[in-house]
């Protein structure tokens, strides 16, 4: 996203490697340069920037890893190699701690200073949302020692355990709900900067409860302690969350070439190349596309999903490859994409006038023969549809944070785990209908599809069916990788396979986890720049230490009793 404004310049310099010179009065609370630098503006003038930094520098940046690890997309470059569970660098922390989180801290304090707790409430909800996303990818995070707009900046911050972080996140949500009920001086949307809910406090509250439901549902591995999984509490939180698509927490974009108005995953934002392959994503993954072809898991009696053509484009050259019907929609197998360059197998490809040049995206004006490496031809996506231009990848697409559909699938899972298949099936069906309606699927097509859903019936509802539909409904959301880890990957998703070309020293081909299953990726690395500046407070950060290690909520430990009253 372009030009997200109002960030703390000092923090940027610090975390990007700037040097700090100290003087006698540097750490004086009243004069410290680490104090907020943009606090002269009233909260209503900071609100839009706080929202945009949350979605742009926060969720957008975290989704670059999340959407690949959740098997939604493949990447447009081999530099990151996230699709084969390798990494060069991981900069999401940089964006969160220098852009997104400081804005939430400022908004909280400004709400207090201007006797407008509704702004503080929004700051707390967005702060909780950001902390939850980064903790879900890393585990332990900097939280208590992060910039808070009140105290001098801690130059060598300590990590909070993920357990401690979750306590703090729930506390932020609870405080926000209370703040919304306090007398308030400045209306939240007084100058039109509430670009999420236009000042509707009831919708902000529903967003808070949806986030709480999501976090409570993360505890499915917990068998004891204060964080023991409680499906009834999850269902209760869902009951206070979104009740229609009109309540969806999202940032809307117009697609116009003005500041902050272009959706981050569209072709406009993805690079300078004109043509077919200029988005941040190369192609949709085979797992995701196959799920859209048979989302009800009926196998030979598959019922195609009416959302398929709204998300995935047909192959650019379907006729050349003889692709018709559902076969026109193809996803790339994870781990096979541009791995280690080209494979050296040459083939002559005959293009005719009107075909698309796989290198440039420009239409050939005459018949042309091209000799190219077969992997190169494959990697250019000629057998696949372009990733951009439809519901989730257009300049005017919406950026979804939490939706009504997600809440219904959370509710369905909680009821299923609680043994109530009838309630699970009802919520499952409502979630499907909600997502299709939100995407603009024709009412008749929705009705026909739900008839097939009814044929499954409550007796045949399974966790895989619930999670498959949730996977379809949470495209581009980092939350989906949380789900894959919680349900133990292929233990639940029977179609899911580990990527090819993995680092065998970390992810053995034979597989030798404690339970005898294959080793899957469980967490990401900390930003190497943090290791350079704050190594004393950070754990081992090599690939072998980080990638296979489960985060706290993914571990059924028994020592979870903590004091939740502080």
């Amino acid at each position: 996203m372009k030009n997200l404004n109002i960030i703390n310049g000092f923090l940027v310099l610090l975390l990007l490697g700037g040097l700090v010179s100290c003087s006698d009065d540097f750490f004086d609370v009243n004069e410290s340069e680490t104090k907020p630098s943009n606090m002269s503006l009233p909260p209503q003038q900071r609100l839009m920037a706080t929202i945009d930094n949350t979605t742009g520098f926060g969720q957008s940046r975290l989704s670059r890893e999340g959407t690949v690890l959740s098997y939604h997309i493949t990447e447009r470059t081999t530099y990151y190699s996230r699709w084969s569970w390798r990494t060069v660098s991981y900069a999401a922390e940089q964006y969160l701690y220098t852009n997104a989180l400081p804005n939430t801290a400022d908004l909280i304090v400004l709400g207090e200073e201007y006797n407008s707790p509704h702004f503080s409430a929004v700051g707390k909800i967005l702060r909780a949302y950001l902390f939850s996303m980064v903790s879900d990818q890393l585990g332990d995070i900097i939280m208590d020692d992060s910039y808070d707009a009140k105290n001098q900046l801690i130059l060598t911050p300590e990590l909070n355990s993920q357990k401690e972080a979750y306590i703090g996140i729930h506390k932020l949500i609870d405080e926000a709900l209370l703040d919304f009920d306090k007398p308030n001086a400045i209306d939240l949307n007084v100058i039109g900067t509430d670009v999420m809910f236009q000042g509707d406090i009831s919708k902000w509250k529903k967003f808070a409860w949806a986030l709480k439901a999501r976090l409570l549902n993360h505890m499915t591995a917990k068998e004891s302690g204060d964080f023991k999984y409680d499906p009834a509490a999850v269902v209760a939180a869902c009951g206070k969350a979104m009740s229609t698509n009109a309540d969806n927490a999202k940032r809307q974009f117009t697609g116009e070439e003005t500041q902050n108005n272009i959706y981050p995953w569209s072709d406009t934002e993805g690079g300078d190349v004109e043509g077919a392959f200029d988005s941040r994503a190369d192609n949709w993954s085979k797992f995701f596309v196959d799920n859209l072809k048979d989302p009800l898991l009926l196998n030979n009696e598959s019922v195609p999903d009416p959302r398929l053509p709204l998300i995935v484009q047909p192959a650019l050259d379907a006729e050349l490859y003889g692709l018709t019907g559902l076969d026109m929609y193809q996803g790339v197998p994870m781990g096979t994409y541009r791995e280690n360059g080209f494979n050296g197998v040459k083939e002559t490809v005959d293009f005719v006038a009107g075909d698309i040049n796989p290198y440039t995206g420009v239409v050939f004006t005459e018949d042309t023969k091209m000799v190219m490496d077969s992997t190169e031809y494959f990697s250019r996506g000629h057998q696949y549809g372009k990733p951009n231009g439809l519901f989730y990848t257009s300049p005017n697409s919406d950026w979804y944070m939490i939706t009504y559909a997600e809440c219904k699938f959370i509710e369905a899972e909680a009821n299923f785990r609680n043994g109530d298949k009838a309630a699970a099936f009802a919520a499952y069906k409502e979630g499907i209908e909600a997502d299709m309606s939100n995407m603009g699927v024709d009412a008749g097509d929705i009705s026909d599809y739900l008839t097939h859903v009814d044929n499954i019936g409550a007796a045949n509802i399974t966790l895989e069916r619930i999670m498959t539909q949730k996977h379809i409904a949470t495209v581009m959301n980092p939350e989906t990788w949380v789900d894959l880890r919680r349900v133990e990957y292929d233990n639940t998703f029977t179609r899911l396979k580990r990527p090819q070309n993995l680092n065998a020293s970390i992810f053995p081909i034979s597989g030798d986890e404690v339970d005898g299953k294959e080793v899957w990726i469980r967490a990401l690395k900390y930003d190497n720049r943090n290791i350079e500046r704050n190594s004393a407070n950070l754990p081992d950060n090599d690939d072998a230490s980080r990638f296979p290690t489960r985060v706290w909520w993914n571990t059924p430990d028994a020592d979870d009793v903590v004091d939740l009253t502080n």
Side-chain angles (χ1 to χ4, degrees):
M1 183 179 288
K2 299 176 180 178
N3 300 324
L4 290 179
N5 53 3
I6 309 183
I7 61 176
N8 191 293
F10 175 83
L11 289 172
V12 174
L13 290 175
L14 173 68
L15 293 179
L16 294 183
L19 297 176
V20 178
S21 60
C22 298
S23 61
D24 291 341
D25 65 346
F26 180 81
F27 292 106
D28 183 272
V29 172
N30 295 318
E31 301 298 330
S32 173
E33 293 180 31
T34 66
K35 294 286 285 185
S37 60
N38 296 303
M39 300 297 285
S40 60
L41 296 173
Q44 64 269 30
Q45 293 186 25
R46 296 292 304 276
L47 179 58
M48 182 175 176
T50 304
I51 293 171
D52 281 343
N53 275 275
T54 298
T55 56
F57 283 119
Q59 182 169 335
S60 173
R61 184 59 188 82
L62 288 162
S63 71
R64 294 192 205 173
E65 281 72 28
T67 53
V68 176
L69 295 171
S70 64
Y71 284 71
H72 278 130
I73 64 167
T74 60
E75 296 182 282
R76 73 186 301 264
T77 174
T78 56
Y79 176 75
Y80 299 102
S81 298
R82 287 171 282 226
W83 43 263
S84 58
W85 300 352
R86 304 164 194 258
T87 187
V88 175
S89 65
Y90 178 62
E93 288 175 275
Q94 167 196 331
Y95 288 94
L96 260 73
Y97 285 97
T98 63
N99 297 78
L101 284 166
N103 277 276
T104 64
D106 288 353
L107 192 64
I108 292 169
V109 173
L110 287 169
E112 296 169 355
E113 293 182 352
Y114 281 80
N115 298 315
S116 299
H118 292 181
F119 289 93
S120 298
V122 170
K124 289 174 183 178
I125 293 171
L126 297 179
R127 192 167 180 81
Y129 185 76
L130 290 165
F131 276 134
S132 69
M133 286 192 296
V134 70
S135 179
D136 289 336
Q137 293 193 355
L138 296 175
D140 300 348
I141 58 169
I142 298 167
M143 188 172 180
D144 289 348
D145 286 355
S146 65
Y147 171 82
D148 64 2
K150 293 181 179 179
N151 301 300
Q152 57 198 34
L153 189 69
I154 298 174
L155 303 181
T156 53
E158 295 182 3
L159 294 179
N160 287 98
S161 70
Q162 188 174 49
K163 184 193 310 185
E164 293 170 338
Y166 262 61
I167 293 170
I169 292 166
H170 278 290
K171 183 179 179 181
L172 284 169
I173 297 171
D174 293 340
E175 289 178 356
L177 289 168
L178 293 174
D179 285 343
F180 278 132
D181 291 333
K182 295 178 181 177
N184 187 72
I186 304 173
D187 185 79
L188 202 58
N189 201 39
V190 64
I191 59 172
T193 50
D194 181 2
V195 290
M196 281 182 60
F197 295 123
Q198 294 72 52
D200 190 329
I201 301 304
S202 66
K203 291 183 178 180
W204 277 107
K205 287 183 176 181
K206 290 179 180 180
F207 179 26
W209 278 107
L211 179 56
K212 184 174 279 287
R214 175 192 278 184
L215 297 174
L216 291 172
N217 203 47
H218 288 179
M219 300 297 124
T220 47
K222 296 300 180 186
E223 301 170 350
S224 62
D226 291 313
F227 282 96
K228 179 182 178 181
Y229 182 64
D230 184 352
V234 175
V235 172
C238 287
K240 298 177 182 179
M242 289 80 174
S243 56
T244 71
N245 284 325
D247 299 329
N248 289 345
K250 64 182 181 180
R251 171 66 164 99
Q252 294 177 289
F253 296 92
T254 64
E256 300 170 357
E257 292 187 5
T258 56
Q259 185 174 346
N260 301 345
N261 254 332
I262 297 177
Y263 178 69
W265 281 87
S266 68
D267 55 355
T268 309
E269 282 288 292
D272 298 327
V273 180
E274 294 291 337
F277 299 101
D278 52 355
S279 73
R280 292 192 185 279
D282 273 314
N283 290 98
W284 300 105
S285 80
K286 176 176 171 55
F287 174 73
F288 179 53
V289 175
D290 286 352
N291 277 343
L292 282 166
K293 291 180 182 179
D294 181 25
L296 300 179
L297 307 180
L298 300 175
N299 299 318
N300 293 332
E301 301 177 23
S302 62
V303 177
D305 197 300
R307 291 167 290 189
L308 174 62
L310 301 180
I311 300 173
V312 181
Q313 300 223 30
L316 286 171
D317 209 343
E319 184 177 354
L320 176 65
Y321 285 92
L323 303 175
T324 59
L326 286 181
D327 289 338
M328 291 192 298
Y329 301 96
Q330 296 290 326
V332 177
M334 296 297 285
T336 61
Y337 203 67
R338 299 189 192 177
E339 175 61 24
N340 297 323
F342 304 143
N343 65 9
V345 179
K346 299 293 183 181
E347 63 176 323
T348 299
V349 181
D350 294 316
F351 296 96
V352 299
D355 282 345
I356 297 174
N357 187 320
Y359 290 102
T360 65
V362 177
V363 174
F364 287 110
T365 57
E366 59 185 17
D367 294 354
T368 305
K369 290 182 180 290
M370 294 181 67
V371 178
M372 60 178 65
D373 185 288
S374 60
T375 305
E376 179 179 14
Y377 191 51
F378 170 84
S379 72
R380 292 289 176 175
H382 210 63
Q383 294 165 298
Y384 307 92
K386 29 180 231 182
N388 47 276
L390 295 178
F391 186 81
Y392 287 109
T393 50
S394 294
N396 62 342
S397 294
D398 292 336
W399 190 274
Y400 292 95
M401 301 167 78
I402 303 182
T403 64
Y404 172 47
E406 180 187 340
C407 290
K408 298 311 294 185
F409 292 125
I410 291 172
E411 180 183 336
E413 179 187 352
N415 280 315
F416 179 83
R417 291 182 183 275
N418 204 31
D420 190 342
K421 284 193 170 184
F425 182 76
Y428 165 76
K429 182 177 176 181
E430 288 179 52
I432 295 172
E433 183 175 12
D435 191 53
M436 288 188 176
S437 296
N438 185 58
M439 292 188 65
V441 175
D442 180 79
D445 290 338
I446 295 176
S447 178
D448 291 344
Y449 188 84
L450 293 179
T451 299
H452 295 289
V453 174
D454 286 334
N455 291 336
I456 294 173
N460 295 311
I461 190 65
T462 63
L463 184 59
E464 183 178 13
R465 283 194 160 113
I466 293 169
M467 300 310 294
T468 296
Q469 288 292 338
K470 188 179 179 187
H471 188 266
I472 293 171
T474 51
V475 175
M476 300 300 185
N477 197 312
E479 177 66 12
T480 315
W481 186 39
V482 173
D483 287 339
L484 263 63
R485 288 175 287 167
R486 283 194 308 104
V487 302
E488 299 301 320
Y489 287 103
D490 60 341
N491 278 15
T492 298
F493 289 101
T494 55
R495 292 174 178 150
L496 193 64
K497 299 183 184 299
R498 293 193 310 172
Q500 300 179 37
N501 301 305
L502 294 177
N503 182 343
S505 64
I506 301 176
F507 305 104
I509 296 175
S510 59
D512 57 1
E513 273 193 316
V514 175
D515 59 2
K517 294 291 184 179
E518 292 178 313
V519 180
W520 292 74
I521 190 168
R522 297 288 177 175
L524 292 180
K525 295 173 62 175
Y526 294 94
D527 191 331
N528 287 334
R529 284 160 289 202
N530 285 342
I531 299 296
E532 294 167 2
R533 289 183 295 272
N534 195 28
S535 59
N537 290 321
L538 294 172
D540 291 338
N541 201 47
D542 58 280
D543 293 5
S545 297
R546 294 295 303 162
F547 291 157
T549 302
R550 292 170 181 264
V551 297
W552 162 75
W553 50 249
N554 205 203
T555 306
D557 46 45
D559 60 346
D560 286 334
V561 178
V562 293
D563 185 0
L564 295 174
T565 62
N566 291 333

